Amino acid sequence: MPVTHTHRWKTPALAVSALLVGLTLPAATAGPASATTTSYDSTYYKNAVGKTGASLKSSLHTIISSQSKISYAAVWDALKVTDQDPNNSNNVILLYSGVSRAKSLNGGDTGDWNREHVWAKSHGDFGEVTGPGTDLHHLRPADVQVNSIRGNKDFDNGGSAVSGGGGSLTDSDSFEPRDADKGDVARMILYMAVRYDGGDGFADLEPNEKVNNGSNPYIGKLSVLKQWSDEDPPSAFEEKRNQVIYDTYQHNRNPFIDHPEWVDAIW
């Protein structure tokens, strides 16, 4: 669902008072994502609605952990459905670059697209195992070379332009997606942090404020991811993708696409 932003303004009386004492009024600032409602609030999310903080995170973990799992080989065909170009059913839209590319060009050669683990699989050392390694909520088609440049870098602002990256940037220890994908990336990372909490045999995945996290089960930077989620609210493409995963494959949802305001409610 589209997210609206609230703005905090001084009341007229306060504004006059400020001017009388020679103070400069602050510019209007965007607040966190406004509360949203969905058709799933009274069913799927009923045990989470109204909660905040650790209680909300725990409730969402319980809800989204009920899912069907697919093999890593099956991810190829799944991505051809979840990420289909709405304007060309023969193509998929690639993460980071935004390029529309033929579904048939899946593979490992230059010009192909492959399976990008947005939560880099080395961050927690889960590889391609069924579970976090095959979770469609953070797997996206990406250009082979752009995917290689991202590697297992953490996410942060800054760097130089990525060749073929659609405006993405990178430096020695971080990657910044193009603007249109920043919120998507943030919500995928935060989904993983809620879904995989260490209680099901996998590492406890958590966002932090670092880059160069290496093989630790962390990805940064949380403050930047929160900013990206706020600045790039869920798109129709992202919402449809969430629905397809729920209806056809895993039967669980990314709650931060349905309720972007829950990002700030937890973190």
Side-chain angles (χ1 to χ4, degrees):
M1 290 187 177
V3 176
T4 56
H5 294 81
T6 57
H7 291 79
R8 301 185 182 91
W9 296 89
K10 284 182 176 289
T11 63
L14 288 175
V16 171
S17 298
L19 289 172
L20 288 175
V21 296
L23 297 177
T24 301
L25 290 175
T29 56
S34 299
T36 57
T37 57
T38 80
S39 59
Y40 292 98
D41 289 357
S42 61
T43 54
Y44 189 74
Y45 292 124
K46 65 180 180 180
N47 292 328
V49 171
K51 296 180 179 179
T52 59
S55 178
L56 174 58
K57 185 180 180 184
S58 177
S59 292
L60 290 176
H61 169 75
T62 299
I63 292 167
I64 67 178
S65 293
S66 177
Q67 71 182 95
S68 301
K69 299 179 177 68
I70 66 174
S71 70
Y72 194 51
V75 168
W76 284 121
D77 287 334
L79 292 181
K80 294 175 184 179
V81 179
T82 60
D83 291 75
Q84 178 174 292
D85 183 345
N87 298 314
N88 185 344
S89 60
N90 293 316
N91 288 11
V92 290
I93 299 293
L94 306 187
L95 186 69
Y96 305 140
S97 65
V99 168
S100 177
R101 186 165 295 170
K103 292 177 178 179
S104 59
L105 290 175
N106 63 294
D109 297 328
T110 300
D112 287 345
W113 61 268
N114 59 4
R115 298 160 290 185
E116 156 70 334
H117 291 79
V118 177
W119 186 291
K121 55 190 177 183
S122 63
H123 290 236
D125 198 27
F126 53 75
E128 298 166 1
V129 65
T130 300
T134 67
D135 197 313
L136 291 170
H137 283 298
H138 86 118
L139 286 164
R140 297 285 291 268
D143 175 80
V144 166
Q145 290 180 293
V146 174
N147 193 355
S148 178
I149 291 169
R150 188 265 157 145
N152 68 348
K153 293 176 181 177
D154 294 83
F155 294 105
D156 196 4
N157 291 313
S160 56
V162 173
S163 177
S168 300
L169 305 174
T170 194
D171 57 23
S172 62
D173 55 20
S174 69
F175 190 90
E176 177 183 346
R178 69 186 184 117
D179 289 347
D181 286 335
K182 286 178 176 175
D184 304 53
V185 165
R187 287 179 283 273
M188 286 186 279
I189 291 295
L190 299 177
Y191 161 87
M192 292 292 283
V194 171
R195 170 60 186 88
Y196 300 99
D197 68 350
D200 51 3
F202 301 113
D204 182 2
L205 307 183
E206 288 294 339
N208 66 7
E209 279 301 307
K210 298 179 180 179
V211 292
N212 272 329
N213 276 297
S215 62
N216 295 314
Y218 312 122
I219 280 185
K221 291 181 175 179
L222 176 59
S223 59
V224 172
L225 294 169
K226 288 175 64 178
Q227 177 188 1
W228 290 354
S229 180
D230 188 49
E231 292 178 348
D232 175 34
S235 64
F237 183 88
E238 195 179 355
E239 291 172 343
K240 183 177 180 180
R241 188 177 197 277
N242 195 28
Q243 193 67 41
V244 171
I245 293 172
Y246 178 73
D247 288 338
T248 307
Y249 296 100
Q250 295 183 182
H251 311 298
N252 72 339
R253 303 182 67 82
N254 182 332
F256 303 112
I257 296 174
D258 295 322
H259 283 279
E261 76 277 11
W262 282 347
V263 172
D264 285 303
I266 293 175
W267 288 282

